[in-house]
């Protein structure tokens, strides 16, 4: 029994499928995706791929890697899983260290609040007040932009009595 390999030939049009029969056994034709699956003898794959790439109706040729893959994937699967898990753990630790590096400024604020006699409750109220001030400022900016837009629209409209079109 000869070793065989799948080759996927992506075509510009399906009317040339009949020409591919001389290269190997056609096992599948995808009309929607525009490719043909050929099975070739292992020793003829490289020559055939070169010949197929010379045709104008061929977009690309992809050779199946399946015979090259080790069928025993028990250890590899675990390694891939644990590598992803370890990477996620490292990312989480990095995020925590970034948060800790940002904390000292908050601690300084807390120390200054203690020195001024403000407690934790007062500090939370100050943060809430700051957020409210920011929201109010954004609201004022939006309203100002809307008013400016209305004024510009009013200037564009010229009444019919002053020579405008009605």
């Amino acid at each position: 029994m000869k070793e065989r390999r799948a080759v996927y030939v992506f075509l510009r049009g399906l009317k040339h499928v009949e020409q591919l029969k001389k290269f190997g056994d056609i096992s599948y034709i995808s009309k929607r995706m525009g490719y043909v699956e050929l099975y070739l003898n292992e020793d003829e794959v490289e020559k055939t791929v070169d010949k197929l790439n010379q045709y104008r109706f061929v977009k690309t040729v992809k050779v199946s890697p399946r015979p090259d893959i080790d069928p025993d994937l028990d250890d590899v699967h675990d390694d891939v899983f644990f590598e992803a898990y370890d990477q996620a753990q490292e990312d989480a630790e990095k995020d925590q260290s970034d948060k800790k590096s940002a904390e000292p400024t908050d601690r300084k604020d807390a120390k200054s609040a203690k020195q001024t006699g403000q407690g934790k409750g007062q500090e939370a109220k100050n943060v809430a007040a700051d957020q409210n001030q920011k929201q109010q400022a954004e609201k004022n900016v939006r309203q100002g932009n809307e008013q400016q837009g209305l004024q510009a629209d009013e200037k564009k409209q010229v009444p019919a009595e002053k020579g405008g079109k009605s």
Side-chain angles (χ1 to χ4, degrees):
M1 188 170 205
K2 292 186 178 183
E3 300 258 337
R4 302 190 44 90
R5 185 178 289 239
V7 176
Y8 301 93
V9 183
F10 290 86
L11 305 171
R12 297 189 192 281
L14 292 176
K15 66 182 180 182
H16 303 286
V17 172
E18 293 296 321
Q19 291 181 341
L20 298 177
K21 287 183 179 179
K22 65 182 176 185
F23 294 107
D25 297 327
I26 295 176
S27 65
Y28 183 73
I29 300 171
S30 173
K31 293 179 181 176
R32 184 175 183 199
M33 301 288 287
Y35 73 90
V36 176
E37 181 183 28
L38 288 173
Y39 275 95
L40 308 173
N41 292 337
E42 184 69 40
D43 54 346
E44 299 173 0
V45 171
E46 290 179 23
K47 292 187 292 186
T48 306
V49 168
D50 291 337
K51 285 181 187 177
L52 287 171
N53 280 325
Q54 292 175 357
Y55 285 105
R56 293 184 72 202
F57 61 85
V58 174
K59 284 184 189 176
T60 57
V61 178
K62 295 191 180 203
V63 180
S64 173
R66 185 166 184 178
D68 300 331
I69 297 173
D70 183 21
D72 184 27
L73 297 176
D74 294 336
D75 298 333
V76 175
H77 176 70
D78 292 340
D79 292 344
V80 171
F81 171 75
F82 287 118
E83 285 175 10
Y85 178 78
D86 292 341
Q87 184 65 34
Q89 291 294 330
E90 289 174 9
D91 292 344
E93 290 173 5
K94 184 178 179 183
D95 290 342
Q96 288 178 353
S97 65
D98 290 345
K99 288 179 183 177
K100 286 182 181 179
S101 65
E103 256 181 43
T105 57
D106 296 335
R107 289 181 184 167
K108 289 177 186 175
D109 293 341
K111 285 182 182 179
S112 66
K114 285 183 182 178
Q115 290 172 355
T116 58
Q118 297 175 347
K120 290 182 181 177
Q122 185 65 28
E123 187 178 329
K125 288 179 185 177
N126 290 343
V127 170
D130 288 342
Q131 289 176 349
N132 287 338
Q133 288 175 353
K134 287 179 184 177
Q135 289 175 352
Q136 188 64 32
E138 290 174 3
K139 185 177 179 181
N140 291 339
V141 169
R142 282 192 303 250
Q143 287 177 350
N145 290 341
E146 289 174 2
Q147 288 177 356
Q148 287 176 359
L150 289 175
Q151 290 172 359
D153 289 343
E154 289 172 0
K155 290 178 185 176
K156 289 178 185 175
Q157 295 175 354
V158 178
E161 344 171 310
K162 295 183 180 179
K165 295 181 181 177
S166 56

